[in-house]
Structure formats: structure tokens, C-alpha cells
């Protein structure tokens, strides 16, 4: 096959496209739409995924966490007893090496208000340190953030709506009137509160109920967007003064302690089988069996040895080494959080760490479950890089501690944000992958259309093909010619699709897409870690790769129908009508 022959085949393929303009336009348009949809979806979902990951780092976890290894192994159970003290030293060491850090104690419980109850994830925090590491603190819609020394709570907006504390944003008219009656002492304050709301939509009269007042009371009211901060603060103070924001925490304090006695059945059925071979002699030496009571009594008195016994029991997961104490804590909601990330806005609450140290709180005695870490000069728009890897942070922490004459305990380790978000990242892959698979199938369908178009074209040109073969054109040259024709179709459609996809994607990249209205309607979120505005991204490799793939697939789709056509005897082709 000569170079001239290849050039001639290209010219023939282009002439065929020009001879059949309608088919060329329709087929190219199908490819164009498929390519444009795929490029836009990939860029849109890619932007959503990147924004979600940024939100996780900026609003939930920081770049990494310092925790005990045993806590990380059981993190889904929130094992509060797997805590550590001396976090102040670790924070100072990290500060010396250029890292912000924030101590936390995480626990779960139930929050009760005058109007209801809800399961809540609680974060006991140091407000100043929390502000340095995470970015949700400024997003307090109503009220303010918590302050040290006070039993105060900043509550997610979803939990606040469930518990009916603070300022309702979308109450029914009857609910609003009940609130006004409970928090105001005069008509002036009542009229003031009513003036802050608009009617969302007029509810149609129920044809089966003659009582029009019920329909009017059921109207949905919406807090106006343009309400001034001064009016919001006045409204908040009215609700707070009425006791509407008073709440009570019901939780369980987990305390590690070596049990004084262990029943024989638990010793033989639970504890001993769970111990490793190195810990069994340690436990057996610390206890003595009493036949009269059928129990094992603690006889070890050395405090260091008891610490080893306790550690061995915890490693084995022995339930008897953890004592559970029910605790009730009275507090007041001082703020409601509505951030760009749905997690701080959900069933979450933030309470000062310092008020939970003694018997009136959680009996923490200086313990925390984690230390959130972020590089001081880290950009909120960038995901953590090498300077915020587990290895780099660990090395920095060890160096900072060494400068203070201290060492990092063996039981502590640094875990990066991906270690905590493996489940979410897997879910995210499904969320972003499914629409792209759909778009790719759309692309494949358009190529099946190309195959059909080529097949029809070949059937229409059967006599022409026979004549060209009779003049000496080989089967291989015929196949290449039609593959080139289909490839040109794919190339034209790809170029147009790339242009169209970029045009559609441009405003979402430049101005973003606002999900806030949807987030208000869907309290459970949209599946991603975003509730506000996000921007799409330019995925140049995918844009170029989609064009190349579409061109190659289009060319490949012509192979089989052409190969089938050239197998027809030349004499039959020349007689074909």
C-alpha cells in the first residue's frame, strides 16, 4: 500500500461525507451531543467531588488527626475511653513546626428540648483552637459560637429544627403563632416576629373540609433573606429569654477500670479466649479464683502492673474493663450553624471542652479523643499535600516533642483525613461514576448509530464497491476507506462536542452552581458534602481523551459492516440493485 494510495483513500472518504450531507450532519450531531454531555457531566461531578473533599478537610476533620491506635480501630463505636492526656504538649510541639491543632472529645447522646428530642453527635472543643483549624465557626446563622467556661451548645440547623430551638426558618403559620405566644409578652414583639416572615405558598383549600382556618394555619412561612443582623439578634434574644433554647444532654460516660471481680463464666467464656498468649500470664497473676463465690478476685496492688492489666483487657476488647455511667448535663443553645458542609449542619452539637472536665460534665480530667491538625499556611482551596501527610506530620511532631525533651507515646498515631473517609470516598465514586457510565452508554449508542449509518451507506453503494474492487481496489483498502469515513464523522462530532461541552461548562466553572435551595428542601443532603455554591472544573485530559476515544470508536464501528460487505462476490455486487 503506497502513500499515494492512503491519500487517495482519505480523499474518497471525505467525498463520501460530502455526497451524503444529511447523514453526515445527523450522525455528527449525535456524536456531538454525546461527547458534550459526557464532558459536562465529568466536569460537573468532578467539581462536586473536589468541593466535597475540600469541605471535609475544612469543616469536619482537618488534614489529619492524632489519636490512639485503639480508638482508630474502633472509631465507628466512638470508644470515649480510648482517650489521651497531655495534648497541650503535642499542640505546642506542632505549633513549633508550623501546624495548627485543635483538641476534641467526641461522644454521642440524646439532646432533649421543651419540644422534643434527637440523637446527637457531640464535639467538645476548644473554641479558639477550633477556629484555627476548621472553617465552620463563622457560619453561625443565629446567635453565636460557644465560649469557654459555660455550658453552651452550638447546634446544627437540622437538629435545631427537629428540637424546635432557636429561630425557625420554615414554620407553618400555626407553629409560628404558637412560638409568638410562648416567647412574647406584648403585641409589639409579636408583630415584629411576624414581619420577619413571608408566606412560602398559599395552600389550596381542602375540598373535603369546609374549615378554611385549618388551611390558613397550615401555610408555610419562610424567614426573609434580607432580615438585618440586628433584627435576628433581637429575635434570638426573645426566644432565649423564654427558655425555648434550654436543653438537656443525656449521654454515657465510658470509664476504663480494672474490675475488682470477674465471674467465672465471663473469665472462661469471654476474657481468656480473647487474650493473646503474652497477656494471659499477666491477667492470671493479677487475679485469684475463689471457689466459694465462683469468681476471680483482683489481688494485684501495684499501680503500674494494674495499668498493664487494664491495657491487656482493652486490647482484648473485654467489656468488663469499661464502666458505663449515665450522665445528664443541662445546657443552653447559643447558636445555630449553617455551613457549606452538611455535617456541621446536621445532628451535631459543639460544647466547650473545659466545662466537661469534672463530675458536672464528663469527668474527662484533661483527656481528649483526638487532636485535629492543619498546616498553618495551608490554602482552604487546596486539598492536603505532602506537607500534611501522616509521615510528615508524625516527623514534625516527634521533632517538636524532642525539642521539649519529650517523646511521642507508642499508642498514639497520626491518621490522615482519607483514613477516616474511606466509606464516603467509596460512596462518592459510585455517585460520580453512575452518571458518567450513563453518559458513556449514550456515547456507545451514538456509535451504534454510526455503525448502522455505515451499513446503510455500504448497502446503497454495493454496486460502486463492486466496481472499485473489479478495478483492483483490495478488500483491505475498502475497509480502511470506510473506517476513515467513519473516523472523520467521529472527529467532526468530537470537535463540535468538545466546543459545546466547554460552552455549557464555562458558566458553572466561572460562576458556580448554587445548591442552597435544594439543600434546604432535602434535609438529608444531596449525597455530596456540599450545601451551597460549588464550581465545576476543567478536566483537560478527559476533554481531550473523550474526543480521541470518540474518533477511534467511530472508526472501529465501521469495521464489521464493511468487512461483511467486501466478502460478497464481485459479480454479485455488480448485479446488486
Amino acid at each position: 500500500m503506497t502513500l499515494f494510495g492512503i491519500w487517495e483513500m482519505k480523499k474518497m472518504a471525505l467525498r463520501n461525507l460530502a455526497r451524503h450531507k444529511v447523514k453526515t450532519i445527523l450522525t455528527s450531531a449525535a456524536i456531538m451531543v454525546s461527547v458534550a454531555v459526557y464532558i459536562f457531566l465529568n466536569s460537573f461531578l468532578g467539581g462536586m467531588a473536589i468541593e466535597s473533599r475540600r469541605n471535609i478537610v475544612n469543616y469536619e476533620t482537618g488534614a489529619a488527626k492524632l489519636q490512639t491506635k485503639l480508638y482508630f480501630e474502633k472509631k465507628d463505636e466512638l470508644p470515649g475511653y480510648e482517650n489521651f492526656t497531655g495534648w497541650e504538649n503535642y499542640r505546642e510541639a506542632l505549633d513549633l513546626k508550623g501546624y495548627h491543632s485543635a483538641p476534641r472529645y467526641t461522644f454521642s447522646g440524646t439532646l432533649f428540648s421543651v419540644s422534643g428530642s434527637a440523637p446527637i453527635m457531640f464535639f467538645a472543643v476548644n473554641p479558639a483552637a477550633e477556629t484555627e483549624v476548621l472553617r465552620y465557626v463563622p457560619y453561625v446563622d443565629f446567635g453565636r459560637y460557644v465560649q469557654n467556661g459555660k455550658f453552651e451548645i452550638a447546634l446544627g440547623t437540622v437538629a435545631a429544627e427537629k428540637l424546635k430551638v432557636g429561630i425557625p426558618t420554615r414554620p407553618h403559620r400555626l407553629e409560628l403563632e404558637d412560638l409568638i405566644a410562648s416567647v412574647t409578652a406584648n403585641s409589639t414583639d409579636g408583630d415584629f416576629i411576624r414581619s420577619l416572615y413571608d408566606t412560602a405558598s398559599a395552600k389550596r383549600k381542602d375540598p373535603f373540609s369546609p374549615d378554611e382556618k385549618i388551611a390558613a394555619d397550615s401555610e408555610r412561612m419562610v424567614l426573609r433573606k434580607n432580615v438585618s443582623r440586628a433584627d435576628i439578634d433581637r429575635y434570638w434574644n426573645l426566644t432565649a429569654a423564654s427558655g425555648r433554647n434550654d436543653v438537656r444532654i443525656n449521654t454515657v460516660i465510658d470509664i476504663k477500670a480494672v474490675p475488682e471481680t470477674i465471674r467465672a463464666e465471663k473469665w472462661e467464656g469471654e476474657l481468656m479466649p480473647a487474650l493473646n498468649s503474652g497477656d494471659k500470664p499477666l491477667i492470671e497473676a493479677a487475679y485469684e479464683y475463689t471457689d466459694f463465690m465462683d469468681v476471680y478476685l483482683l489481688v494485684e496492688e501495684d499501680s503500674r502492673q494494674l495499668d498493664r492489666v487494664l491495657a491487656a483487657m482493652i486490647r482484648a476488647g473485654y467489656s468488663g474493663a469499661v464502666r458505663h455511667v449515665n450522665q445528664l448535663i443541662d445546657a443552653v443553645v447559643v447558636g445555630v450553624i449553617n455551613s457549606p458542609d452538611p455535617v456541621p449542619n446536621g445532628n451535631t452539637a459543639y460544647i466547650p471542652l473545659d466545662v466537661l472536665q469534672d463530675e458536672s460534665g464528663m469527668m474527662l480530667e484533661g483527656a481528649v479523643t483526638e487532636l485535629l491538625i492543619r498546616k498553618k499556611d495551608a490554602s482552604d482551596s487546596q486539598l492536603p499535600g505532602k506537607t500534611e501527610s501522616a509521615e510528615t506530620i508524625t516527623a514534625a511532631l516527634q521533632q517538636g516533642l524532642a525539642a521539649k525533651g519529650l517523646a511521642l507515646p507508642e499508642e498514639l498515631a497520626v491518621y490522615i483525613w482519607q483514613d477516616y473517609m474511606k466509606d464516603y470516598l467509596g460512596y462518592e465514586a459510585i455517585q460520580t461514576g453512575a452518571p458518567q457510565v450513563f453518559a458513556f452508554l449514550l456515547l456507545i449508542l451514538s456509535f451504534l448509530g454510526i455503525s448502522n449509518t455505515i451499513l446503510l451507506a455500504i448497502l446503497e453503494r454495493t454496486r460502486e464497491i463492486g466496481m472499485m474492487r473489479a478495478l483492483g481496489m483490495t478488500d483491505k483498502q475498502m475497509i480502511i476507506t470506510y473506517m476513515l469515513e467513519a473516523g472523520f464523522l467521529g472527529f467532526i462530532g468530537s470537535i463540535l462536542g468538545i466546543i459545546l461541552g466547554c460552552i455549557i461548562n464555562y458558566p458553572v466553572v466561572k460562576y458556580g452552581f448554587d445548591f442552597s435551595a435544594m439543600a434546604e428542601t432535602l434535609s438529608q443532603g444531596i449525597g455530596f458534602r456540599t450545601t451551597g455554591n460549588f464550581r465545576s472544573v476543567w478536566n483537560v485530559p478527559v476533554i481531550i481523551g473523550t474526543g480521541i476515544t470518540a474518533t477511534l470508536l467511530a472508526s472501529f464501528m465501521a469495521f464489521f459492516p464493511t468487512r461483511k460487505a467486501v466478502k460478497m462476490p464481485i459479480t454479485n455486487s455488480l448485479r446488486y440493485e
Side-chain angles (χ1 to χ4, degrees):
M1 188 185 302
T2 65
L3 182 63
F4 176 77
I6 294 175
W7 175 248
E8 288 298 321
M9 285 186 284
K10 289 181 180 178
K11 289 198 297 183
M12 187 181 299
L14 290 172
R15 281 198 302 268
N16 287 339
L17 292 179
R19 285 166 54 194
H20 304 85
K21 293 183 177 64
V22 175
K23 290 179 181 177
T24 299
I25 292 171
L26 291 177
T27 307
S28 298
I31 298 173
M32 176 188 71
V33 171
S34 301
V35 169
V37 168
Y38 187 81
I39 288 173
F40 175 72
L41 272 178
N42 179 272
S43 301
F44 183 89
L45 294 170
M48 184 80 82
I50 290 173
E51 185 69 14
S52 295
R53 295 182 182 198
R54 281 197 291 249
N55 284 349
I56 289 169
V57 173
N58 293 330
Y59 298 98
E60 298 180 38
T61 66
K65 294 182 181 183
L66 177 68
Q67 288 185 320
T68 68
K69 296 174 182 178
L70 288 176
Y71 187 101
F72 181 77
E73 291 175 7
K74 305 175 183 179
K75 59 183 180 298
D76 294 335
E77 304 171 15
L78 298 180
Y81 54 86
E82 287 300 339
N83 51 52
F84 61 95
T85 57
W87 58 266
E88 297 88 349
N89 291 324
Y90 308 136
R91 188 162 188 259
E92 290 173 6
L94 288 166
D95 183 66
L96 287 173
K97 305 306 292 184
Y99 291 89
H100 287 306
S101 58
R104 275 185 170 187
Y105 186 90
T106 305
F107 63 100
S108 62
T110 303
L111 195 61
F112 295 89
S113 69
V114 174
S115 303
S117 63
I120 299 291
M121 180 75 76
F122 292 92
F123 300 103
V125 300
N126 179 307
E130 195 83 355
T131 304
E132 291 177 345
V133 176
L134 299 180
R135 302 292 178 258
Y136 70 88
V137 176
Y139 290 93
V140 178
D141 264 7
F142 313 126
R144 59 173 174 80
Y145 196 60
V146 296
Q147 297 175 352
N148 281 329
K150 301 177 180 179
F151 282 93
E152 300 178 340
I153 286 178
L155 200 59
T157 183
V158 172
E161 291 285 349
K162 288 181 180 178
L163 295 170
K164 299 187 185 304
V165 299
I167 297 174
T169 56
R170 292 174 58 83
H172 291 290
R173 185 181 294 277
L174 184 58
E175 293 174 341
L176 182 61
E177 291 301 323
D178 288 342
L179 181 146
I180 291 171
S182 64
V183 306
T184 62
N186 54 68
S187 59
T188 302
D189 288 337
D191 291 339
F192 161 71
I193 293 175
R194 293 185 188 94
S195 71
L196 304 181
Y197 288 88
D198 290 326
T199 303
S201 60
K203 185 177 179 180
R204 295 181 181 179
K205 180 179 176 181
D206 185 351
F208 300 102
S209 174
D211 190 351
E212 295 187 10
K213 185 176 185 304
I214 295 177
D217 288 342
S218 298
E219 285 181 332
R220 177 72 72 178
M221 310 301 293
V222 178
L223 187 68
R224 290 192 286 107
K225 298 291 186 182
N226 60 349
V227 178
S228 69
R229 190 68 205 185
D231 286 343
I232 287 294
D233 290 343
R234 177 184 171 188
Y235 188 3
W236 180 270
N237 291 334
L238 287 171
T239 63
S242 70
R244 174 183 171 88
N245 298 344
D246 294 343
V247 292
R248 172 169 287 182
I249 303 169
N250 181 12
T251 187
V252 176
I253 303 173
D254 294 330
I255 302 174
K256 290 191 294 185
V258 177
E260 295 289 335
T261 61
I262 302 175
R263 296 197 311 273
E265 60 188 46
K266 289 183 70 68
W267 176 279
E268 296 166 1
E270 181 180 347
L271 178 57
M272 286 294 117
L275 292 169
N276 61 50
S277 57
D279 288 335
K280 278 186 179 180
L282 177 68
I283 302 298
E284 289 171 343
Y287 284 86
E288 185 177 277
Y289 178 67
T290 302
D291 184 54
F292 172 71
M293 300 176 62
D294 196 26
V295 298
Y296 287 82
L297 294 176
L298 180 66
V299 294
E300 181 63 63
E301 296 181 356
D302 182 80
S303 59
R304 292 185 179 180
Q305 197 70 0
L306 287 174
D307 289 341
R308 296 189 186 96
V309 169
L310 180 59
M313 289 182 171
I314 295 297
R315 278 195 297 272
Y318 177 55
S319 60
V322 180
R323 186 159 52 94
H324 306 289
V325 179
N326 289 315
Q327 181 72 311
L328 295 175
I329 304 172
D330 290 323
V332 59
V333 176
V334 296
V336 176
I337 297 170
N338 187 19
S339 76
D341 186 304
V343 171
N345 308 343
N347 285 355
T348 54
Y350 301 85
I351 187 170
L353 180 63
D354 63 344
V355 300
L356 301 182
Q357 300 304 309
D358 56 24
E359 289 81 1
S360 61
M362 298 282 292
M363 295 186 282
L364 299 182
E365 298 180 349
V368 297
T369 55
E370 58 202 29
L371 198 62
L372 274 56
I373 303 168
R374 194 81 214 264
K375 197 81 168 66
K376 287 184 178 179
D377 57 357
S379 171
D380 291 348
S381 62
Q382 299 295 322
L383 290 173
K386 186 176 180 181
T387 59
E388 293 180 302
S389 66
E391 295 78 12
T392 303
I393 293 175
T394 300
L397 178 55
Q398 289 172 335
Q399 292 169 11
L401 288 172
K404 296 166 59 69
L406 301 172
L408 182 66
E410 178 65 27
E411 65 268 17
L412 293 179
V414 174
Y415 298 95
I416 57 174
W417 68 275
Q418 291 101 323
D419 294 331
Y420 265 83
M421 305 309 299
K422 285 181 180 178
D423 290 343
Y424 168 76
L425 294 174
Y427 171 75
E428 179 192 271
I430 296 173
Q431 287 284 93
T432 57
Q436 293 186 62
V437 169
F438 173 78
F440 186 74
L441 290 176
L442 183 65
L443 202 63
I444 294 297
L445 287 175
S446 70
F447 294 135
L448 291 175
I450 293 173
S451 180
N452 186 57
T453 301
I454 295 296
L455 178 60
L456 292 175
I458 289 171
L459 290 174
E460 291 175 356
R461 287 180 251 167
T462 301
R463 292 182 66 183
E464 179 183 328
I465 291 172
M467 183 179 64
M468 294 173 66
R469 291 171 66 200
L471 292 174
M473 197 170 187
T474 66
D475 293 351
K476 184 177 181 181
Q477 288 173 331
M478 290 298 304
I479 292 172
I480 292 175
T481 299
Y482 280 96
M483 287 184 70
L484 285 172
E485 181 179 338
F488 285 134
L489 277 173
F491 179 74
I492 294 169
S494 297
I495 294 298
L496 295 175
I498 289 172
I499 294 171
L500 178 61
C502 291
I503 290 173
I504 297 172
N505 197 44
Y506 176 76
V508 187
V509 172
K510 185 172 179 61
Y511 304 107
F513 190 91
D514 190 359
F515 267 100
S516 56
M518 186 183 297
E520 287 181 5
T521 305
L522 301 174
S523 61
Q524 299 301 317
I526 57 175
F528 290 92
R529 292 293 220 275
T530 181
T531 62
N533 192 71
F534 86 98
R535 296 176 187 273
S536 186
V537 293
W538 292 117
N539 195 335
V540 177
V542 168
I543 292 173
I544 297 174
T546 302
I548 294 173
T549 301
T551 302
L552 294 176
L553 277 175
S555 180
F556 178 75
M557 285 295 179
F559 174 77
F560 293 102
T562 309
R563 184 169 175 269
K564 182 178 180 181
V566 297
K567 287 185 176 297
M568 182 183 294
I570 294 177
T571 53
N572 291 348
S573 298
L574 292 173
R575 291 195 298 267
Y576 189 84
E577 295 293 336

